[in-house]
Amino acid sequence: MLSTQSLPLIKATLPLVGERMPEIAKNFYGRMLTAHPDLFDGLFSRSNQKNGSQQQALAGSIAVFATYLVQNPDTTPEAMLSRIAHKHISLSIAPEQYDIVYKYLFEAIAEELSDVITAQIAGAWTEVYWLMAHALIKMEKGLYAGLASDKPLAPWVVVKKEAAGTDAVTFTLEPADDTPVTPALPGQYVSVTATMPDGIRQVRQYSLSAGTATTRVFTTKLDADGEVSPVLHRDVQVGDTLILSVPCGDITLDQGTGPLILASAGIGCTPSASILRSLVDTGSKREVLVLHAESNLERWALRDQMSEDIALLEAAELELWLEIPSEGHHEGFMSLENVTIPTDASVYLCGPLPFMRSLRSQALESGVPADRIHYEIFGPDLWLAGV
């Protein structure tokens, strides 16, 4: 709950802070990572720091949280906080790290707002920060308590590496030690830590595309401009060990019996594949409409797995959109214009942000309630999605 003293100060300064937050975030990361370069090893992404997207993510999260408090001073944005908390669990974030962030963030705020900052304004924004931090710490404590082990990160050995489509690879892993395994839910992701050529560990999140109680399966598309996927594609081989987090993400398959629409684009098909596989494993009779968009048929990374699972389900259908035409499929970008959506359907989206924005808007226009539209956002744009 935002105090009555801080509310008018936050409301008055929010436009200015929002305007300057990108520079505040850049200043903050510069200070913190200069003082703690070790945070690059297994936590912060060097690629996202170089392109500025990590700074945008921080700016977006704080601005969204503060705006929400101004509009709803007695509550907090639970959905946003839940997504951040799951991301933090996948990175093994500890409560004491919030103190480090506070120190350097507010040094940056003091410098970037030196022309207007007062003790009262600083106090109000300090309150916003700790409201957000304490809410996250509480959520994360609950998530940690639900794990099968007190170790959110553990070594897993690669037992299979297979090409998937024209530019993706699927990895199957098994536990490398006796750390208890936390079960994965359909639609969740894991953080994967890989060692770069210079010895620094870098982390990326990948949706699980299949797996059992004792295996993890994820599929990664090659990103030539990234650091992690080239190492995974080029250097990681069967028998190698990777560090994986426990499964995270709160966008998981609901346990109801109503119709499902799984809409994906590109490598966003991975959570759809996981959900389909779980439906097959449980003998589900739910009505399922799988919608997928791809540049061409050969590039569809999980084409065989998803097609086989759709065929095994009693009430599943597929509609495919291809930029390069192929007989029997839609041409161009995905559209819900001629798609019949059952009134009680749950819609799951995964893919690039523009794709999810467009599909969510179309689903809303088709009459699907907002609380039945689920989506997972990866990457540094996490809180700038506006969806």
Side-chain angles (χ1 to χ4, degrees):
M1 178 183 296
L2 189 61
S3 69
T4 55
Q5 296 92 337
S6 294
L7 178 58
L9 290 170
I10 297 300
K11 187 174 183 179
T13 57
L14 183 57
L16 177 62
V17 172
E19 176 185 334
R20 299 190 186 180
M21 188 54 76
E23 288 303 314
I24 292 171
K26 182 178 179 181
N27 187 322
F28 154 69
Y29 276 113
R31 289 172 178 273
M32 184 175 68
L33 294 174
T34 297
H36 298 275
D38 55 295
L39 293 176
F40 272 127
D41 188 17
L43 186 57
F44 286 103
S45 165
R46 294 187 297 193
S47 296
N48 292 341
Q49 283 293 313
K50 289 178 182 178
N51 63 31
S53 51
Q54 189 70 58
Q55 294 89 325
Q56 292 176 355
L58 175 70
S61 65
I62 294 176
V64 169
F65 187 81
T67 300
Y68 187 94
L69 290 184
V70 167
Q71 298 171 349
N72 309 273
D74 296 334
T75 62
T76 55
E78 296 298 314
M80 176 185 118
L81 292 175
S82 178
R83 291 186 188 180
I84 296 178
H86 276 270
K87 181 75 173 288
H88 284 180
I89 296 299
S90 79
L91 295 170
S92 192
I93 296 294
E96 56 267 23
Q97 289 175 295
Y98 286 91
D99 294 297
I100 298 174
V101 171
Y102 173 76
K103 169 180 168 58
Y104 297 105
L105 178 60
F106 276 79
E107 286 180 2
I109 287 175
E111 180 173 324
E112 296 297 332
L113 298 179
S114 60
D115 55 331
V116 297
I117 198 79
T118 65
Q120 292 76 18
I121 292 174
W125 281 96
T126 294
E127 183 180 344
V128 168
Y129 174 82
W130 284 113
L131 280 172
M132 185 173 178
H134 287 145
L136 286 169
I137 290 170
K138 181 179 179 180
M139 279 189 178
E140 289 157 18
K141 182 179 179 180
L143 292 173
Y144 279 124
L147 302 180
S149 166
D150 60 359
K151 299 177 181 178
L153 305 178
W156 289 68
V157 63
V158 178
V159 297
K160 190 181 296 183
K161 178 182 180 182
E162 302 172 292
T166 56
D167 58 358
V169 172
T170 295
F171 292 87
T172 302
L173 302 96
E174 294 179 350
D177 64 12
D178 59 359
T179 301
V181 175
T182 298
L185 298 174
Q188 289 192 306
Y189 61 85
V190 294
S191 280
V192 178
T193 303
T195 302
M196 301 297 102
D198 61 1
I200 294 295
R201 296 169 300 165
Q202 289 284 276
V203 186
R204 294 294 182 275
Q205 285 76 37
Y206 295 107
S207 291
L208 295 168
S209 52
T212 66
T214 56
T215 62
R216 300 280 193 249
V217 181
F218 69 87
T219 302
T220 170
K221 176 183 175 182
L222 178 63
D223 178 3
D225 296 325
E227 279 199 282
V228 175
S229 68
V231 167
L232 293 175
H233 281 237
R234 180 187 64 239
D235 300 334
V236 174
Q237 304 299 333
V238 171
D240 290 344
T241 298
L242 296 171
I243 300 299
L244 267 59
S245 74
V246 295
C248 294
D250 57 355
I251 308 302
T252 59
L253 176 63
D254 68 72
Q255 297 304 306
T257 59
L260 296 172
I261 294 180
L262 308 177
S264 59
I267 200 61
C269 66
T270 51
S272 292
S274 173
I275 290 173
L276 281 171
R277 178 57 52 87
S278 73
L279 293 171
V280 170
D281 290 343
T282 58
S284 175
K285 300 184 183 302
R286 297 177 74 167
E287 179 184 351
V288 184
L289 178 58
V290 179
L291 312 176
H292 183 63
E294 197 64 76
S295 57
N296 60 68
L297 198 59
E298 290 70 30
R299 201 176 187 188
W300 184 6
L302 296 174
R303 175 185 174 186
D304 291 343
Q305 176 183 323
M306 294 177 69
S307 297
E308 290 170 6
D309 286 344
I310 290 168
L312 289 171
L313 290 168
E314 184 177 297
E317 295 182 6
L318 169 69
E319 291 197 36
L320 190 62
W321 281 259
L322 301 172
E323 294 177 41
I324 299 177
S326 179
E327 186 176 354
H329 303 298
H330 302 286
E331 180 179 350
F333 299 107
M334 187 184 296
S335 170
L336 300 182
E337 183 176 352
N338 296 312
V339 175
T340 300
I341 301 178
T343 56
D344 55 346
S346 293
V347 179
Y348 290 82
L349 308 174
C350 192
L353 285 174
F355 166 81
M356 290 196 292
R357 286 195 187 101
S358 174
L359 266 291
R360 182 176 185 270
S361 296
Q362 292 179 52
L364 290 171
E365 292 172 2
S366 298
V368 181
D371 62 356
R372 287 186 174 271
I373 305 174
H374 313 282
Y375 47 90
E376 188 67 75
I377 303 169
F378 290 97
D381 308 89
L382 196 59
W383 307 119
L384 302 178
V387 296

